[in-house]
Amino acid sequence: MKLQRMNRRALTLGALAVSGALALTACGSDDNGGSSSSSSSSSANASSANCGTAKKGQQLLADGSSAQKNAIDAWVKAFSQACGVQINYKGGGSGAGVTSFNQGQLAFAGSDSALKPEEVTASKQVCTGGQGIDLPMVGGPIALGYNVPGVDNLVLDAPTLAKIFDSKITKWNDAAIKKLNPSATLPDLKIQAFHRSDESGTTDNFTKYLIATTAANWKYSGGKAWQAKGGQSAAGSAGVAAGVKQTSGAIGYFELSYVGDGVKAVSIDTGAAAPVAPSTDSATKDIADAKVIGTGSDLSLKLNYNTKAEGAYPITLVTYEIVCDKGNKAETLPATKAFLTYIASEEGQKVLSTIDYAPIPDAIITKVRSTIASIS
């Protein structure tokens, strides 16, 4: 099963690389102002996804969100094949990405949380005459993956999740879990709750959900660093997913693309008519309700974690690409701008739904494209 899944993903990424490369090489001009309103998909790709003035053989260093790592890998494969630009995206976590960006080490960073005011202030030392801005680029659900023998379908709600991750509920046959899953055979098995050991925007978004929906059961202030006591920790989304897969009775939080191969996903009881499973469609329904709260060129969003809309999955995140609005390094600007233009294009966003991410809704991604066109 694992080999089959790996082969399917390899075939998918290979097909994406070919289609992405075709879209990129079909273009010859540096027109970064493409619009998704074009009636022809191919013409939209040709106007918005191209190599611009990026030089073959150039290398870009980027780091940050591990949540978007699988998406970045697919995009980089297509872009590098077409444009000859090497992009090294480490995926070391949102905290590491923002720190390195503000130290002037990166062409761009990825973060699952928008820049804080003090981080924007720090970015002005790197962005000559400008500042770091947030560009929402990747959406998706934060899945609660679990490994409980004999349980193929599991429903949990916010209060129960808060108690599990705060070590207040410690057995899978606890009465609160039984109440939500009356037909399931729940074992007398210890719960092993995994969280991130590194600073993570995924942690930030997951705890924002708990704070917004069940503050009485989650007394922590939230943020990128995990604050609750107990449980087990692992680095990166891949590390948490591996821990859940290898540990009977485990549960952890990570992106939907890490579910599978023995790890199943929890459906969330939001108060809607039916529990909602994580999917690209259910996440997009929630992200579409987000509000742009950034000012100027910044496009940071406020998500609705407390949604009760039918079919809307409430635990979502948006990963931002962080770049200078002005004052980008002259040697890396052309390649950075070309890459961001590609991933925000219609073709680039189509990649996301094929690998378990959610495309950014049209009303928001249109603003992203205009902003990318203006960076300097």
Side-chain angles (χ1 to χ4, degrees), residues 87-98:
I87 301 174
N88 180 6
Y89 183 82
K90 294 182 178 180
S94 298
V98 172

Side-chain angles (χ1 to χ4, degrees), residues 249-315:
I251 185 171
Y253 57 92
F254 37 77
E255 293 64 48
L256 184 60
S257 58
Y258 291 96
V259 170
D261 297 334
V263 177
K264 302 178 179 67
V266 172
S267 293
I268 304 298
D269 183 347
T270 64
V276 185
S279 70
T280 57
D281 289 342
S282 62
T284 298
K285 287 182 180 178
D286 186 56
I287 295 170
D289 195 33
K291 307 297 182 186
V292 176
I293 59 173
T295 58
S297 299
D298 187 83
L299 295 175
S300 56
L301 304 174
K302 182 177 181 180
L303 298 170
N304 182 8
Y305 297 103
N306 210 16
T307 182
K308 292 178 174 57
E310 299 298 330
Y313 186 79
I315 318 176

Side-chain angles (χ1 to χ4, degrees), residues 146 153-157 160 176-177 180-181 266-269 275-276:
Y146 70 96
N153 297 289
L154 183 67
V155 176
L156 297 173
D157 59 10
T160 307
I177 302 176
L180 291 164
N181 300 272
V266 172
S267 293
I268 304 298
D269 183 347
V276 185

Side-chain angles (χ1 to χ4, degrees), residues 327-339:
N328 289 278
K329 293 179 181 178
E331 62 270 25
T332 58
L333 176 60
T336 301
K337 193 168 183 176
F339 181 66

